[in-house]
Amino acid sequence: MLIAVSAFGKNQDSEVNPRLGRCEYFVLYDTDTDKYSSIDNTGRFSQGAAGIATASLLSNQKVQVVITGNIGPNAYTALEAAGIEVFTGAKGTAQDVIKDYQKDLLSKANAPNVGPHGR
């Protein structure tokens, strides 16, 4: 299973970026291989609908779980349609929140927790 964490940096020690659609990077963790990698969030450069572009990027990467701070309605809807689970309210490093996810300590989102454009 591939887990993506919205982050300010490219490695597992990077802090979680509370923004999903406009975060700089996603730290990826493959539970099958126990390896970390990262991707640039190209969706953040979208003039509009960055959340949808970001959701498409994550779906194309075959991500199954997203961990972030906040998620808006467009990104939430796109990720839900792609069958990607979303966990919000994450703080700390990517590695820490992945451990929290594995210990079932994170809150699964059942709806967006911010309005459009993160407001």
Side-chain angles (χ1 to χ4, degrees):
M1 175 173 64
L2 195 59
I3 301 170
V5 179
S6 60
F8 287 105
K10 294 182 176 182
N11 62 49
Q12 66 264 31
D13 295 324
S14 300
E15 291 291 320
V16 172
N17 188 326
R19 301 177 308 167
L20 180 82
R22 300 282 180 193
C23 74
E24 292 84 356
Y25 306 100
F26 285 97
V27 174
L28 305 177
Y29 176 69
D30 188 328
T31 60
D32 296 332
T33 63
D34 196 32
K35 302 246 183 218
Y36 288 92
S37 61
S38 67
I39 57 172
D40 289 354
N41 179 17
T42 55
R44 74 180 192 270
F45 299 117
S46 296
Q47 292 291 326
I52 294 172
T54 298
S56 178
L57 169 73
L58 295 171
S59 179
N60 289 340
Q61 293 289 319
K62 310 289 186 212
V63 167
Q64 294 169 289
V65 170
V66 172
I67 301 172
T68 188
N70 299 309
I71 188 165
N74 291 336
Y76 180 82
T77 300
L79 290 170
E80 183 180 47
I84 298 173
E85 291 185 312
V86 179
F87 292 82
T88 56
K91 295 179 181 173
T93 68
Q95 186 175 35
D96 288 343
V97 298
I98 288 169
K99 287 179 183 173
D100 287 347
Y101 168 78
Q102 293 173 319
K103 293 177 185 174
D104 202 23
L105 297 175
L106 298 180
S107 299
K108 183 176 176 186
N110 294 316
N113 64 348
V114 293
H117 310 287
R119 296 180 198 137

